[in-house]
Amino acid sequence: MSMFNVGLNQLFDVEIDKINKPYLPLASGELSFRNGVIIVSSSLILGFLFAWAIGSWPLFWTNLISAVLAVAYSADVPFLRWKKYPVLTSLNFIIDGALARPIGYFLHMQTCVLKRPATFPRQLIFCIAIKSVLSVAIALLKDIPDVEGDEKFGIRSLSSRLGRKKGVAHAILASALWFRAKSVDVNDSASLQSFYTDFFWKMSSMLFILLY
């Protein structure tokens, strides 16, 4: 499902990625658009087949909500393409990353793996609270290296509206992020991308490890 979410965004952003991330498979031409569609579609189908095969309704609904939000975020059709709007981007990330996934994965583990009754312990509530903060920060951080391409194609992200330096300042919502951000060169896209992919997602993933 993660391959579907990320891949769908790359399918709709090929021209933008030629400016912001020319090294990506579709943007560089290493992967054809047709094969990209096949991979993304197959990932979506396999995600649902996996949930059906193991009989996990929590996982099925988590995948469905995540897929719908991915379409709303990326699809360049009327009333969608939420990535154009900072508020809708943050809302999308909160619903997906802070609500649907933590709750869905937790209920899957409880009811389908451990065969326990569904509960909502304090650890889950704490995880949701922290993930909500991180989701907003992710929504802000992800656009900082992409200002050039976003501006050219009319995507008015918060980073493009505020500028890179102010974008970083608004994105740092926790002390750990603040100390790591001190080493980021805000004028270097590679440094910004490293901060987002190498550091920030590791922090986000650690919450799931601690929860489960």
Side-chain angles (χ1 to χ4, degrees):
M1 292 306 298
S2 293
M3 289 179 64
F4 168 75
N5 291 359
V6 175
L8 182 69
N9 185 60
Q10 292 188 26
L11 287 174
F12 280 101
D13 284 3
V14 174
E15 297 303 319
I16 298 177
D17 287 337
K18 287 180 180 179
I19 299 174
N20 293 333
K21 302 181 181 75
Y23 52 84
L24 292 177
L26 288 171
S28 66
E30 181 181 355
L31 183 69
S32 70
F33 188 85
R34 176 179 176 273
N35 286 340
V37 171
I38 293 174
I39 292 172
V40 170
S41 302
S42 300
S43 298
L44 177 66
I45 294 171
L46 289 172
F48 284 113
L49 283 178
F50 178 78
W52 174 78
I54 64 176
S56 175
W57 281 108
L59 198 58
F60 176 87
W61 286 110
T62 300
N63 289 347
L64 179 61
I65 293 171
S66 182
V68 169
L69 289 171
V71 173
Y73 175 78
S74 300
D76 194 3
V77 298
F79 305 110
L80 298 182
R81 194 70 166 169
W82 287 10
K83 67 185 303 176
K84 289 183 177 181
Y85 312 102
V87 174
L88 290 178
T89 294
S90 297
L91 181 63
N92 187 299
F93 279 45
I94 289 173
I95 295 174
D96 186 20
L99 294 174
R101 290 177 187 251
I103 294 174
Y105 296 159
F106 183 83
L107 292 178
H108 164 73
M109 292 296 294
Q110 287 281 35
T111 62
C112 297
V113 178
L114 302 177
K115 306 299 182 182
R116 298 173 180 173
T119 59
F120 291 86
R122 288 178 296 176
Q123 294 94 328
L124 177 60
I125 297 173
F126 178 76
C127 177
I128 292 172
I130 298 300
K131 286 288 290 182
S132 296
V133 176
L134 289 176
S135 294
V136 174
I138 289 171
L140 300 177
L141 278 171
K142 70 175 190 61
D143 294 320
I144 297 174
D146 301 337
V147 171
E148 183 181 354
D150 288 350
E151 289 180 342
K152 183 175 180 179
F153 286 88
I155 297 179
R156 298 293 294 158
S157 65
L158 190 62
S159 298
S160 64
R161 297 182 185 189
L162 296 176
R164 289 189 173 185
K165 290 186 178 180
K166 290 183 180 179
V168 172
H170 283 76
I172 301 170
L173 303 179
S175 60
L177 291 177
W178 170 258
F179 288 114
R180 177 62 176 82
K182 287 183 177 180
S183 63
V184 176
D185 182 355
V186 296
N187 295 313
D188 180 36
S189 294
S191 178
L192 290 166
Q193 192 68 24
S194 175
F195 177 52
Y196 171 61
T197 57
D198 295 341
F199 175 74
F200 201 84
W201 276 107
K202 288 178 181 177
M203 287 187 62
S204 179
S205 299
M206 281 298 297
L207 289 172
F208 288 109
I209 296 174
L210 293 173
L211 177 64
Y212 302 131

